[in-house]
Amino acid sequence: MRAAVTAHKDFTIAEIDPRLYGSFIEHLGRAVYTGIYEPGHPTADAEGWRQDVIDLIRDIDVPITRYPGGNFVSAYNWEDGIGPKETRPVRLDLAWHTSESNQVGIHEFADWAEKAGTEMMLAVNLGSRGLDEARAFLEYVNHPGGSYWSDLRKQNGRDAPWGVKMWCLGNEMDGPWQIGQKTAAEYGRIAFETAKAMRAFDKSIELVVCGSSSPKMATYPEWEATVLDYTYDSVDYISLHMYFDDHEGNTANYLAQSARLDDYIATVAGVIKMTKTKKRSKRDVYISFDEWNVWYHSREQDRPVLEGKQGWPHAPALLEDIYDFADVLQVGCILNTFIRRSDVVKVGCLAQLVNVIAPIMTVPGGPAWRQTTYWPYLYASKYGRGTALNLAVDCPGYDTEFAKNVPYLDVSAVVDGDGVMTLFCVNRHQSDDMELAVSLQGFGQMTVLMDKVIAGHDPHAVNGPEGEPVAPVDGVGAAIANGVLTASLPPMSYRMIRLGA
Ligand code: AHR
């Protein structure tokens, strides 16, 4: 099969916000305890942070990390996580039916974020709590001193404010599973008032209002329209969440699901535009896609804990999806979609970062290891920064139950400040090679600088602590002649090619 792509240096989509490649750490399962935090682990520093995990995160260069939830935040008291560790209360976490020791709170997370080289994105509890808690938390985190909450922070050992820029106004408030679920109007009002109070403290913070927790919600997209009607001029982003699964075992359908993602983004972009016009507003609201990933492998094994059959365990294994080779392609297609919609999707958070539906896994007391999906995430984060190109793609496609003519080639391209162009390609075809030809226009002379391929595995092949067979290898055969890059993409393959002068 042939795929023809045209890339012109000046035919661009948008400048990519580096925060498109963010991630997420929730107090859920083993993300925090025995994930990033394990005092006594051979690699742990004096504060208990696993260095082996930090090293893997630093390699990805995660620009921003959302915290502390997720569903967890909707019944969380952030004050439980401050002050001497020995006096912090153990609480029952109603979201995941577990116990929370509060040994990690905002001070500890901020310390970890600094060491991991990532910015914090904090969520406030608009489920069981509200405006007052949100403004107190903001003052505690961002005020220099001379007020009750900021002085308490100083007493607790942190003199300088952390200056956190991005704040989420609750989490998935449309979900019946949420503690304190709200109707769109109820949420729109509380989000508006909370935003008003938070902005009264600091106009420069960036606020994220909850959109739908999934396009499958019966309330979608009316939810977005109502919530934005209340909040449009008070917020900067609307959050979207989407998880992908192949519970049917239908690889062709599975790999086409980014078409649904595209549709989701386009619809919400339309609602944003409609609201802006209706309000005669001068400002723009963008999308913060602050939860996305593949999530289905662990659903059955999680049931006993989630149904409360194991009491209230502390940091049990939950949502520990073991990703396979097919998931590499899925994550590659999702990231490509975000790059192609970087005009409207400014922030993205891979949910999550360690142990919980994560690219990085740990063995308590043992090694940290890379899941299959670590690689497309790493490549996008490292090499997908700059300007997204608007490519013309000519390639055969296939029909699924939910989308027609999904191209076998999924591709995006980014040009960085040095003029280096990176192409991210996925061949969705399960049996055919794809002969790719990319016409390079306006770039001048280019050569292949880097070429990485993940291919040739059984779709269900996985990595583990004993070995990581699903990993990139150097690509062969990519060549440029007469301004055309040619390369062969094996069936079901991920390939990243970097071109420069
Ligand atoms: O990321 C796992 C969970 O998925 C989050 O806690 C919640 O926001 C979503 O439903």
Side-chain angles (χ1 to χ4, degrees):
M1 184 199 344
R2 293 186 182 284
V5 175
T6 304
H8 193 292
K9 180 174 82 46
D10 299 329
F11 198 8
T12 62
I13 297 169
E15 194 61 30
I16 292 170
D17 186 324
R19 296 176 299 179
L20 191 61
Y21 308 114
S23 192
F24 179 28
I25 290 279
E26 176 168 2
H27 281 255
L28 192 188
R30 299 192 308 112
V32 174
Y33 306 107
T34 74
I36 58 173
Y37 179 74
E38 192 179 343
H41 186 273
T43 72
D45 68 7
E47 282 72 41
W49 305 120
R50 284 184 63 148
Q51 293 305 302
D52 54 350
V53 174
I54 285 185
D55 288 346
L56 291 175
I57 292 168
R58 278 196 165 274
D59 284 349
I60 297 172
D61 190 2
V62 177
I64 194 164
T65 305
R66 186 165 171 255
Y67 176 85
N71 296 341
F72 172 79
V73 81
S74 293
Y76 178 55
N77 301 340
W78 65 270
E79 304 94 314
D80 291 345
I82 60 174
K85 283 191 176 179
E86 54 289 0
T87 60
R88 295 185 190 173
V90 172
R91 298 275 188 196
L92 301 184
D93 164 30
L94 304 176
W96 303 105
H97 217 284
T98 57
S99 293
E100 172 53 52
S101 67
N102 284 302
Q103 293 304 289
V104 171
I106 182 61
H107 287 259
E108 291 76 25
F109 185 72
D111 177 50
W112 173 83
E114 201 176 315
K115 288 172 174 160
T118 186
E119 186 185 325
M120 291 190 281
M121 171 178 182
L122 296 177
V124 299
N125 174 354
L126 293 189
S128 68
R129 307 183 83 190
L131 186 160
D132 208 39
E133 176 262 350
R135 78 181 174 112
F137 191 26
L138 176 61
E139 183 183 311
Y140 188 89
V141 169
N142 278 4
H143 195 57
S147 70
Y148 176 79
W149 290 110
S150 57
D151 288 346
L152 187 58
R153 183 196 67 237
K154 286 171 181 251
Q155 262 174 48
N156 286 334
R158 170 75 189 196
D159 202 44
W162 288 293
V164 172
K165 200 121 193 89
M166 280 200 88
W167 293 82
C168 305
L169 299 167
N171 174 71
E172 294 190 351
M173 300 309 305
D174 59 339
W177 56 87
Q178 212 64 225
I179 304 296
Q181 182 200 4
K182 298 190 169 33
T183 64
E186 286 166 347
Y187 174 65
R189 280 289 301 139
I190 190 177
F192 170 74
E193 291 297 338
T194 306
K196 190 166 85 185
M198 292 175 83
R199 286 224 193 275
F201 170 79
D202 179 359
K203 291 201 174 29
S204 73
I205 54 173
E206 295 186 288
L207 295 175
V208 187
V209 75
C210 295
S212 296
S213 47
S214 128
K216 290 184 186 150
M217 299 302 292
T219 45
Y220 161 79
E222 196 56 45
W223 172 277
E224 277 78 0
T226 306
V227 166
L228 282 177
D229 207 34
Y230 281 101
T231 60
Y232 191 89
D233 284 313
S234 314
V235 300
D236 303 285
Y237 305 91
I238 183 158
S239 85
L240 299 186
H241 295 175
M242 188 169 178
Y243 291 97
F244 299 76
D245 75 78
D246 186 23
H247 64 271
E248 295 170 330
N250 182 334
T251 305
N253 270 351
Y254 179 53
L255 294 181
Q257 283 182 25
S258 54
R260 284 182 156 153
L261 172 62
D262 234 344
D263 194 61
Y264 189 20
I265 294 169
T267 303
V268 176
V271 176
I272 292 172
K273 187 92 177 82
M274 193 271 287
T275 313
K276 179 179 178 182
T277 308
K278 183 173 153 190
K279 291 186 173 287
R280 312 291 189 257
S281 179
K282 299 246 178 306
R283 53 201 312 282
D284 286 309
V285 168
Y286 294 99
I287 291 172
S288 168
F289 219 111
D290 45 41
E291 284 187 35
W292 66 270
N293 205 347
V294 174
W295 177 10
Y296 76 101
H297 299 281
S298 64
R299 293 261 184 199
E300 278 311 308
Q301 79 210 30
D302 287 343
R303 263 183 220 291
V305 174
L306 300 183
E307 289 171 2
K309 295 194 175 119
Q310 294 186 357
W312 298 89
H314 180 250
L318 275 179
L319 281 63
E320 297 204 4
D321 271 39
I322 301 301
Y323 292 121
D324 60 24
F325 170 59
D327 299 327
V328 171
L329 310 186
Q330 180 69 278
V331 167
C333 290
I334 297 167
L335 287 161
N336 279 346
T337 307
F338 290 151
I339 291 170
R340 290 192 298 258
R341 291 313 316 262
S342 54
D343 55 327
V344 61
V345 183
K346 296 295 173 187
V347 179
C349 298
L350 172 67
Q352 301 189 8
L353 190 54
V354 182
N355 285 336
V356 171
I357 40 175
I360 298 169
M361 301 297 288
T362 67
V363 177
W369 54 278
R370 289 167 295 207
Q371 294 245 39
T372 60
T373 53
Y374 179 90
W375 294 107
Y377 179 40
L378 174 135
Y379 286 137
S381 178
K382 273 177 98 108
Y383 304 120
R385 301 187 190 201
T387 305
L389 290 186
N390 196 354
L391 304 172
V393 179
D394 181 15
C395 158
Y398 64 103
D399 293 344
T400 69
E401 287 153 20
F402 50 85
K404 296 243 172 292
N405 202 23
V406 177
Y408 284 107
L409 173 67
D410 193 88
V411 62
S412 71
V414 178
V415 179
D416 71 14
D418 298 324
V420 173
M421 179 174 90
T422 305
L423 278 164
F424 301 96
C425 309
V426 172
N427 178 4
R428 292 184 167 108
H429 205 288
Q430 292 176 63
S431 55
D432 287 5
D433 282 312
M434 178 180 287
E435 300 312 323
L436 173 70
V438 184
S439 167
L440 304 164
Q441 300 186 5
F443 294 96
Q445 198 69 28
M446 287 187 123
T447 57
V448 176
L449 303 178
M450 193 193 267
D451 184 359
K452 296 287 177 189
V453 180
I454 311 176
H457 300 279
D458 182 279
H460 302 300
V462 297
N463 292 344
E466 294 83 27
E468 299 175 8
V470 182
V473 297
D474 286 333
V476 289
I480 300 175
N482 305 319
V484 178
L485 165 77
T486 51
S488 187
L489 309 182
M492 286 192 73
S493 61
Y494 171 91
R495 190 163 186 171
M496 183 205 64
I497 306 178
R498 307 197 76 216
L499 309 171

